[in-house]
Amino acid sequence: MRSPDLVADVAGVLVSEEQIRARVAELGAQISADYAGRELTLVSVLKGSLPFMADLMRAITIPVSIDLMEVSSYGGTATESSGLVRILKDLSSSIDGRDVMIVEDIIDTGLTLNYLIRYLRGKNPRSLHICTLLDKPARRLVDIPIDYLGFTIPDQFVIGYGLDYGEHYRNLPFIGVLKPEVYAAP
Ligand code: PRP
């Protein structure tokens, strides 16, 4: 059961605010150098990637455009994705001929991104790369080419900095591990 105090449901901090800040700055600098002289379209996948997108775009020094997509996997549960992806919000602008980077909070099974990569490739971008804050390789079902990675994490239920359980905990400023009793069946 959830506590009214978000922090009380956290078993431990996996990635601190300071670690996130430092790594996002590094990623922004790396992306800015790699794309020097070009323009980049950042496509954020709502809702989990919202804080990462907001911080990453401000760490990038080349011109960027942003677009937002929202997808949901259906047929799964609160903790497991099914691989069936529904687009709740599509791109607002064409990416035809543009350099595009998908900005994700976490790659778990890889099923969401596997779908999105195929979907966005079909829109004829000049290039398409992947930036994710977190990678949980233990649960991967399909291979995903990650170009920019914040942190590799173990197979634990993580929340915070955009990541939710039952839509809660997204506003925690760090990545934490959720206490098992919060999501365990009663
Ligand atoms: C999370 C995350 C990724 C996806 C990763 O989104 O933001 O999009 O799951 O899981 P996968 O690799 O197993 O496909 P979620 O569906 O929880 O939506 P949210 O971002 O709105 O929380």
Side-chain angles (χ1 to χ4, degrees), residues 45-50 70-73 77-83 85 88 103-114 116 136 139-142 144 162-165 167 170:
V45 188
L46 297 171
K47 304 172 197 149
S49 64
L50 194 56
E70 185 169 6
V71 301
S72 78
S73 55
T77 67
T79 54
E80 301 282 330
S81 73
S82 64
V85 174
L88 302 178
V103 178
E104 261 289 22
D105 51 341
I106 187 167
I107 304 178
D108 196 342
T109 63
L111 294 170
T112 304
L113 259 188
N114 188 49
L116 263 180
K136 201 192 265 187
R139 287 175 40 90
R140 192 75 88 257
L141 295 178
V142 285
I144 299 289
L163 294 152
D164 76 308
Y165 173 64
E167 294 298 327
R170 294 193 197 274

Side-chain angles (χ1 to χ4, degrees), residues 165-177:
Y165 173 64
E167 294 298 327
H168 285 69
Y169 310 102
R170 294 193 197 274
N171 53 321
L172 287 172
F174 55 84
I175 307 287
V177 177

Side-chain angles (χ1 to χ4, degrees), residues 28-64:
Q30 185 66 54
I31 291 167
S32 304
D34 291 351
Y35 286 84
R38 289 149 77 183
E39 286 187 24
L40 185 59
T41 299
L42 300 173
V43 175
S44 168
V45 188
L46 297 171
K47 304 172 197 149
S49 64
L50 194 56
F52 181 44
M53 176 71 154
D55 288 342
L56 181 68
M57 63 186 275
R58 287 177 290 176
I60 294 175
T61 53
I62 59 159
V64 297

Side-chain angles (χ1 to χ4, degrees), residues 115-135:
Y115 174 87
L116 263 180
I117 290 168
R118 280 184 288 131
Y119 180 76
L120 293 177
R121 279 210 182 113
K123 300 202 171 282
N124 200 31
R126 176 178 172 207
S127 66
L128 182 64
H129 290 97
I130 311 294
C131 178
T132 184
L133 180 68
L134 304 176
D135 178 25

